[in-house]
């Protein structure tokens, strides 16, 4: 789902729960959403169950985020899309799992919540933190941290649902090849 090419109906229909941080106005989840906003985005807008969308959040363990370190002052003042895409430094969310699909993200979230991480070991955004400060979501984080196979199965199911429900280019086509047979 690309927020620049999204269904205009979705963008014109903001969703909001109880706080200003729960407002969903884009087709991609904003980094500052709280747990209510995440539930609205992934549950209401995309139709995923809580375990499914929490599993999808685990992909942050693979990725990197834009750092403002080393960015020139003009870009810092504007923070345009071009500035962010051409940022000189990209930092991993979880340093132990860059480039590997595993459940390290969930383990790191729990260590972060227990204040057992070293400086620079993790770099979470507010949506990541919401997964452990909300007790209802933390249950899924704990389960995925303890059971990597459960995480993998749930992720595959959620990713397939996401593609089948939102990828307009593939609607009607057979997506069974996307299911990892070993799960």
């Amino acid at each position: 789902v690309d927020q620049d090419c999204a269904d205009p109906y979705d963008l014109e229909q903001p969703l909001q729960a109880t706080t200003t941080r729960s407002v969903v106005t884009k087709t991609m989840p904003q980094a500052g959403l709280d747990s209510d906003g995440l539930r609205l985005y992934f549950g209401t807008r995309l139709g995923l169950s809580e375990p499914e969308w929490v599993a999808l959040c685990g992909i942050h363990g693979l990725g990197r985020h834009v750092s403002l370190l080393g960015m020139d002052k003009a870009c810092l003042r504007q923070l345009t899309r071009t500035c962010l895409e051409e940022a000189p430094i990209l930092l991993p969310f979880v340093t132990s799992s860059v480039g590997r699909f595993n459940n390290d993200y969930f383990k790191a979230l729990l260590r972060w919540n227990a204040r057992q991480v070293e400086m620079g070991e993790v770099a979470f955004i507010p949506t990541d933190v919401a997964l452990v400060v909300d007790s209802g979501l933390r249950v899924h984080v704990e389960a995925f941290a303890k059971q990597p196979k459960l995480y993998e199965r749930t992720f595959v199911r959620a990713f397939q649902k996401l593609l089948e429900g939102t990828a307009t280019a593939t609607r009607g086509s057979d997506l069974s090849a996307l299911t990892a047979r070993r799960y």
Side-chain angles (χ1 to χ4, degrees), residues 10-85:
D10 282 339
L11 294 177
E12 293 170 6
Q13 304 296 322
L15 300 171
Q16 182 173 0
T18 56
T19 69
T20 56
R21 288 194 45 228
S22 69
V23 179
V24 176
T25 59
K26 307 250 187 251
T27 57
M28 292 294 287
Q30 296 97 311
L33 288 176
D34 62 11
S35 57
D36 288 338
L38 289 169
R39 284 182 176 98
L40 286 173
Y41 177 79
F42 287 105
T44 303
R45 183 156 282 166
L46 297 181
L48 297 170
S49 69
E50 273 189 10
E52 290 171 338
W53 62 259
V54 170
L56 287 177
C57 290
I59 204 66
H60 281 180
L62 276 173
R64 296 174 184 270
H65 67 90
V66 172
S67 169
L68 302 181
L69 298 171
M71 194 175 285
D72 67 54
K73 289 180 183 178
C75 275
L76 284 173
R77 281 189 217 102
Q78 303 296 322
L79 280 184
T80 64
R81 183 178 187 151
T82 302
C83 288
L84 293 173
E85 287 174 349

Side-chain angles (χ1 to χ4, degrees), residues 92-110:
F93 287 99
V94 180
T95 57
S96 65
S97 67
V98 176
R100 288 189 313 237
F101 180 81
N102 59 33
N103 67 338
D104 284 355
Y105 168 81
F106 299 105
K107 293 176 185 177
L109 275 173
L110 293 172

Side-chain angles (χ1 to χ4, degrees), residues 101 121 156 175:
F101 180 81
E121 183 182 352
V156 167
L175 296 177

